[in-house]
């Protein structure tokens, strides 16, 4: 028990870091679902593209000698900005060519289109990186080496602090934008009733594109933060993480921005605490590799009693 108690602070920090990444990716899922009632499964690959773009920017800064001459936070901001712009543009492009033409078709058609886009992006990145560098596993340059000592046994790495601060800033900024800005209110109106919103002179096509732009941009930023934290990216890195982020969005209440944030953070904490405690609680019979089973079992139990998610609302079928 003493060993477990001593592990709690470090596991809590690790869980929060992972949870914030889940939360930012989950926001992209829940925003698109809120507007179109459609699960954009290609969002996990947009996250992957963002991870590659951010890593390539940092590798370029390193090869050009800039990485040692500029502050690490500035290098991170440059990588984030480029990744968000390219990922956001990619999200709008995908919506225009893969989703908009099938918007009035049954939702299963759009779902299949999303799966096709997902596989296309995986193979496209693998092809480009393979032709360019003859390798598609990239190691992200190390930006931060310091840490802040909290107690005798607890230290918080600088990169974790930056990741948390940036993630919180993005989530707060998105919440303020959706609730206070005119375009954010238009997004909420389109999410509530697209036809009525168009009768109120709201350009629904533009709002849908804006939703993909913001959601994909956040996904690209999450990919860059992930690459800085875990230092390795590959074309399949988005699949499992995307599934977990989608689960977090459902867990928090799909369509709810606060729900996506809460679901992501809780899933990250459950996963990390499961990895830390499973071996101790079972005397080594069940190891950390079963952390996903532990976390998802708890999520399923909660969803059995609250199927709409923690902050979701049960909505009746539209007639």
């Amino acid at each position: 028990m003493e060993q477990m108690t001593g592990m709690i602070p470090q596991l809590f920090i690790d869980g929060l870091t992972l949870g914030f990444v889940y939360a930012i990716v989950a926001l992209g899922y829940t925003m698109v679902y809120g507007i179109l009632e459609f699960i954009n499964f290609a969002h996990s690959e947009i996250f992957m593209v963002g991870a590659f773009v951010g890593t390539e920017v940092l590798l370029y800064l390193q090869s050009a000698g800039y990485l040692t001459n500029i502050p690490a936070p500035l290098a991170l901001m440059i990588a984030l900005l480029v990744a968000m712009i390219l990922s956001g543009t990619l999200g709008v492009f995908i919506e225009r060519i893969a989703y908009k033409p099938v918007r009035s078709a049954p939702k299963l058609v759009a779902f299949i289109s999303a799966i096709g886009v997902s596989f296309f992006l995986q193979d496209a990145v693998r092809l480009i990186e393979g032709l360019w560098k003859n390798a598609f596993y990239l190691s992200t340059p190390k930006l931060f080496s310091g840490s802040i000592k909290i107690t005798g046994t607890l230290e918080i790495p600088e990169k974790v602090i930056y990741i948390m601060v940036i993630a919180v800033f993005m989530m707060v900024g998105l919440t303020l934008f959706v609730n206070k800005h005119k375009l954010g209110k238009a997004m909420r109106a389109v999410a509530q009733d697209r036809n009525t919103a168009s009768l109120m002179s709201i350009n629904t096509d533009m709002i849908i594109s804006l939703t993909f732009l913001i959601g994909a941009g956040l996904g690209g930023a999450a990919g860059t933060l992930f690459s800085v934290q875990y230092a390795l990216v590959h074309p399949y890195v988005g699949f499992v993480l995307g599934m977990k982020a989608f689960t977090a969005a459902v867990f928090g209440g799909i369509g709810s921005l606060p729900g996506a944030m809460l679901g992501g953070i809780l899933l990250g904490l459950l996963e990390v605490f499961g990895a830390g405690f499973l071996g101790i609680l079972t005397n080594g019979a069940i190891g950390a590799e079963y952390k996903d089973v532990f976390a998802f079992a708890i999520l399923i139990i909660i969803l059995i009693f609250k199927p709409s998610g923690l902050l979701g609302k049960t909505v009746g079928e539209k007639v």
Side-chain angles (χ1 to χ4, degrees):
M1 182 58 71
E2 185 178 347
Q3 181 187 2
M4 292 174 61
T5 304
M7 293 168 62
I8 288 177
Q10 188 62 57
L11 292 177
F12 184 74
I13 292 170
D14 294 343
L16 275 184
T17 309
L18 181 60
F20 279 133
V21 174
Y22 285 155
I24 298 175
V25 181
L27 285 172
Y29 282 108
T30 211
M31 287 177 69
V32 171
Y33 183 85
I35 294 287
L36 296 175
E37 294 184 351
F38 152 66
I39 307 299
N40 179 20
F41 272 108
H43 188 63
S44 57
E45 269 54 57
I46 292 175
F47 162 86
M48 176 270 294
V49 170
F52 267 91
V53 172
T55 298
E56 288 290 2
V57 170
L58 293 176
L59 287 172
Y60 168 76
L61 293 175
Q62 184 183 48
S63 63
Y66 297 129
L67 207 56
T68 54
N69 296 323
I70 63 175
L74 177 60
L76 177 59
M77 289 298 112
I78 294 172
L80 276 174
L81 186 62
V82 176
M84 290 180 72
I85 291 173
L86 292 183
S87 299
T89 305
L90 177 63
V92 174
F93 182 69
I94 290 171
E95 191 275 329
R96 288 297 175 94
I97 66 168
Y99 301 152
K100 187 178 179 181
V102 299
R103 197 180 291 167
S104 58
K107 287 187 170 56
L108 188 59
V109 176
F111 175 74
I112 294 171
S113 182
I115 292 176
V117 172
S118 178
F119 283 120
F120 175 81
L121 289 177
Q122 281 184 5
D123 288 339
V125 170
R126 192 177 63 171
L127 176 64
I128 293 171
E129 290 290 341
L131 292 175
W132 185 15
K133 296 187 173 178
N134 199 29
F136 45 81
Y137 279 70
L138 297 184
S139 296
T140 308
K142 189 174 183 178
L143 285 180
F144 305 97
S145 57
S147 61
I148 298 176
K149 193 169 185 177
I150 306 299
T151 65
T153 58
L154 177 62
E155 291 186 358
I156 303 178
E158 283 184 4
K159 65 178 181 182
V160 169
I161 295 173
Y162 280 106
I163 289 171
M164 287 184 176
V165 170
I166 292 170
V168 170
F169 177 78
M170 287 181 176
M171 289 189 284
V172 172
L174 178 64
T175 302
L176 291 176
F177 175 79
V178 170
N179 290 313
K180 301 294 183 183
H181 197 277
K182 184 179 177 180
L183 289 173
K185 293 177 181 177
M187 289 171 64
R188 290 163 56 198
V190 173
Q192 192 169 15
D193 192 322
R194 199 190 315 168
N195 293 327
T196 303
S198 64
L199 292 174
M200 303 296 289
S201 302
I202 294 176
N203 186 338
T204 55
D205 284 339
M206 187 272 286
I207 294 300
I208 291 171
S209 295
L210 177 65
T211 303
F212 274 85
L213 177 70
I214 296 174
L218 289 174
T224 301
L225 294 178
F226 178 88
S227 68
V228 170
Q229 171 69 4
Y230 298 102
L232 179 68
V233 296
H234 54 82
Y236 312 107
V237 71
F239 179 74
V240 174
L241 191 139
M243 292 297 290
K244 291 180 179 178
F246 170 66
T247 304
V250 175
F251 178 48
I254 189 77
S256 165
L257 295 182
M261 300 176 203
L262 179 63
I265 292 170
L266 288 179
L267 180 60
L269 289 171
L270 282 172
E271 188 176 316
V272 171
F273 272 93
F277 287 163
L278 275 177
I280 300 174
L281 292 174
T282 62
N283 200 25
I286 299 177
E289 65 270 20
Y290 291 97
K291 63 183 187 304
D292 292 339
V293 178
F294 170 77
F296 276 75
I298 292 178
L299 298 186
I300 290 170
I301 292 171
I302 293 174
L303 288 175
I304 287 174
F305 294 99
K306 193 166 174 49
S308 59
L310 295 176
L311 301 182
K313 296 178 182 177
T314 302
V315 179
E317 189 74 19
K318 292 182 181 178
V319 179

